[in-house]
Amino acid sequence: MPSTTFLNLNEDKKKKIVQSLLLEFSNHSVSEAQVARIVKEAGIARGAFYKYFDDLQDAYTYLYQQAMVEIHKKITNSNQILSAEEYQKQIKEFLDAVNGSPYQDLMRLHFQVNESLVKPSHSKAPQPKDSREWGVMVLSHEAIKESLQSPEKEKQIIELCYEAIRLLTKKA
């Protein structure tokens, strides 16, 4: 996670650094990203980058978590057990929040490459209460991943996911 030095920067400087991270990680995988490009774009010294972040993976994890918080703000949140239709609605809301957002390319590259390179902490993410909820969560995330990788198939993917979730959430 970023240092307190970074968190205490004035908002304009912090925003410029975050924009530089977003540009880099939207166009390059974590393994291909370069501190040199980030610091040049942000107008900061290389040493400052390492004062703010441990390394590129640390910077990526911070940016990814910020993106997830921002994207999830636009999604209906519920602590109740949802119907298959409500889960389907949340998947669509998530994809709508990503598509056309500044995070669209970041998220697409995350699912294509970075997800296997960096394991961002999901400690803030709600934990499934039981096997049904876990199944719904896995299916939902896989549908989002596949939809971002193949946008032309989004409608079909969401429909397949809906049918599977409907079966999982059906009362016995």
Side-chain angles (χ1 to χ4, degrees):
M1 290 301 6
S3 69
T4 53
T5 304
F6 175 77
L7 297 174
N8 290 327
L9 288 174
N10 73 56
E11 287 305 311
D12 288 339
K13 188 167 188 175
K14 195 184 319 180
K15 188 176 181 178
K16 186 159 178 87
I17 293 167
V18 169
Q19 285 300 101
S20 300
L21 294 173
L22 183 59
L23 179 65
E24 185 69 10
F25 293 124
S26 293
N27 292 295
H28 304 279
S29 69
V30 173
S31 63
E32 295 172 341
Q34 294 180 3
V35 172
R37 286 190 294 251
I38 295 168
V39 299
K40 182 178 180 182
E41 183 68 28
I44 61 172
R46 186 177 185 89
F49 176 87
Y50 289 106
K51 208 173 186 180
Y52 304 147
F53 304 100
D54 291 339
D55 53 26
L56 283 167
Q57 288 194 9
D58 186 40
Y60 178 82
T61 299
Y62 167 75
L63 179 66
Y64 179 78
Q65 287 178 341
Q66 293 300 113
M68 293 305 289
V69 166
E70 189 65 31
I71 291 165
H72 278 97
K73 280 182 186 176
K74 299 173 182 164
I75 298 172
T76 309
N77 196 0
S78 174
N79 292 331
Q80 303 171 6
I81 296 173
L82 303 177
S83 68
E85 291 80 11
E86 291 165 322
Y87 283 117
Q88 181 184 36
K89 180 180 178 224
Q90 285 193 346
I91 293 167
K92 286 179 181 177
E93 287 175 351
F94 183 91
L95 289 167
D96 289 346
V98 170
N99 292 325
S101 80
Y103 302 113
Q104 183 173 347
D105 293 331
L106 173 75
M107 296 305 294
R108 200 167 271 130
L109 196 53
H110 174 78
F111 287 121
Q112 288 172 344
V113 181
N114 291 329
E115 183 178 42
S116 63
L117 298 174
V118 177
K119 297 291 182 196
S121 167
H122 295 294
S123 58
K124 295 178 186 174
Q127 298 301 307
K129 297 177 195 94
D130 57 29
S131 57
R132 271 190 194 184
E133 195 172 288
W134 177 83
V136 169
M137 182 181 75
V138 169
L139 284 168
S140 299
H141 286 102
E142 191 61 27
I144 289 167
K145 177 181 179 175
E146 287 186 28
S147 293
L148 288 171
Q149 291 177 338
S150 302
E152 71 283 359
K153 297 180 182 176
E154 180 180 313
K155 189 175 179 177
Q156 296 163 310
I157 294 165
I158 291 173
E159 189 57 35
L160 282 172
C161 183
Y162 164 74
E163 288 299 325
I165 290 173
R166 191 177 61 73
L167 293 171
L168 269 175
T169 58
K170 190 162 72 169
K171 302 281 188 219

